[in-house]
Amino acid sequence: MSHIVESNKPVTVRAIAKEGSTSEKAHHNNNNNELVPKSLADFGPNDRWFAPVGIHALFLGFVPVAEYVARLRLTTHVFNKGLGTFTWAMAGFSTRQLGTAGMGVAADKKVLALGLFYAVVTFVSTTALSITGQTIGRPGGYQNYQPRKGKPELSGMAHRMVAAHQNALENFPIFALTVALVHFTAPTNDHLIELVALHVFSRSFIYLPAYVLGIDVARTAAHLISLGAAIRALTLVALSA
């Protein structure tokens, strides 16, 4: 009996050592025991007092960053031709909907065109992501009869695809508010249009791909930039009221 106990000791020690080395680079998800890589943006139990202060500072600190990026006028150039073509297609290929200035749409309709584009991304494209994630991540695939069943048990890319859709819905209200206020107060203000375009570009072309691919630092940066752009736009509208 004593011989069996002694022979098990080295095995136990090796198992503990292996587990300890793994935990330095990753931790387990409590829901499904999935091994999740650690991130620079993780908060541990000892950060419970720092987290509220740090998050406020981080989010608000990206407002001036978004302002600086918007002054470079980069995103409106990206949308210059593509947004006009998109609006033309959504209007049933009617040439009457296209203008000759700015991003291919009438000067006072740029913000609304951006709103239309991002509404399609949020409610169509990310819905397709969510359904695809459930299709590849659930044993029985996507089940339309009970479409939300099994979402908590998803892991890996399938989970991230569903989560990207949910996050897009959660963050759409501040974008909708920004578009509405900018359109009704200063629809031709180039700087406000650039801030709206920055929000759309960050979330559509950086945030969503980074979320699906698991590039967490890029995803977080894009989220902070997009939110900073919306807050900055709302601030400028409020100051000019």
Side-chain angles (χ1 to χ4, degrees), residues 176-223:
L177 176 63
T178 303
V179 167
L181 292 180
V182 169
H183 176 69
F184 286 112
T185 60
T188 59
N189 185 296
D190 289 338
H191 188 61
L192 289 175
I193 293 171
E194 181 69 27
L195 286 167
V196 174
L198 178 59
H199 180 97
V200 174
F201 179 84
S202 299
R203 295 201 63 86
S204 302
F205 301 110
I206 302 178
Y207 179 86
L208 287 176
Y211 207 148
V212 173
L213 296 175
I215 310 173
D216 65 290
V217 175
R219 183 200 76 216
T220 300
H223 177 68

Side-chain angles (χ1 to χ4, degrees), residues 79-104:
F79 284 115
N80 187 42
K81 294 181 180 179
L83 190 62
T85 303
F86 168 80
T87 307
W88 172 59
M90 294 297 294
F93 306 103
S94 172
T95 56
R96 292 181 302 172
Q97 303 300 323
L98 291 177
T100 58
M103 292 181 285

Side-chain angles (χ1 to χ4, degrees), residues 4 6 22 27 31 42 46 50 60-61 72 76 81 86-87 97 116 120 130 136 139 149 184 206 212 218 224 231 241:
I4 295 176
E6 291 176 0
T22 301
H27 54 82
N31 292 333
D42 286 348
N46 295 329
F50 168 76
L60 296 178
L72 299 177
T76 49
K81 294 181 180 179
F86 168 80
T87 307
Q97 303 300 323
L116 173 62
V120 171
S130 179
I136 66 176
K149 184 179 181 181
F184 286 112
I206 302 178
V212 173
L224 293 173
I231 292 175

